[in-house]
Amino acid sequence: MSSNTITADIENANVFTITLDDNITTWTISNLPSSKATIATFIIKQDGTGSRLLNATQINGTTFKTSRGNAITLSTGANEIDILTVMYDGTDYYVFVQPDLS
């Protein structure tokens, strides 16, 4: 993660560990194949300060879908961990949250 942007290249990996040092406002995943479903997992860790938020509502400029359309709420305590799984079906992004795995 660079400042407030998550940038992931699916060609290099499909599991990414990110320690937050700012709120996330932009989320980009590159090299997604258009012909098949793809899953990427993001292990999101709060830094020693905590209180970092996920304010992004889009991946690659497309609004992602969540359970019941709810906003994603990250655990905000110092060093807490959440796992976000992104499924891309060639058109839509679906984000599943496993909160507070500290």
Side-chain angles (χ1 to χ4, degrees), residues 7-8 11 23-24 28 31 53 61-62 66 71-72 84 90 92 99 102:
T7 304
E11 189 172 74
N23 295 333
I24 301 167
T28 303
N31 291 313
L53 305 174
T62 299
T66 59
I72 294 174
L84 306 180
D92 292 310
S102 302

Side-chain angles (χ1 to χ4, degrees), residues 6-16 28-32 42:
I6 292 178
T7 304
D9 186 343
I10 202 77
E11 189 172 74
N12 296 327
N14 66 344
V15 177
F16 304 90
T28 303
I29 303 173
S30 59
N31 291 313
L32 289 162
F42 295 83

Side-chain angles (χ1 to χ4, degrees), residues 57-101:
T57 58
Q58 298 181 335
I59 299 172
N60 298 340
T62 299
T63 300
F64 54 77
K65 299 177 186 307
T66 59
S67 177
R68 298 185 179 164
N70 293 328
I72 294 174
T73 302
L74 298 177
S75 302
T76 56
N79 303 308
E80 288 188 324
I81 300 168
D82 300 302
I83 295 180
L84 306 180
T85 302
V86 177
M87 185 180 76
Y88 176 66
D89 67 3
T91 303
D92 292 310
Y93 297 90
Y94 302 89
V95 180
F96 305 91
V97 181
Q98 296 167 303
D100 196 11
L101 296 169

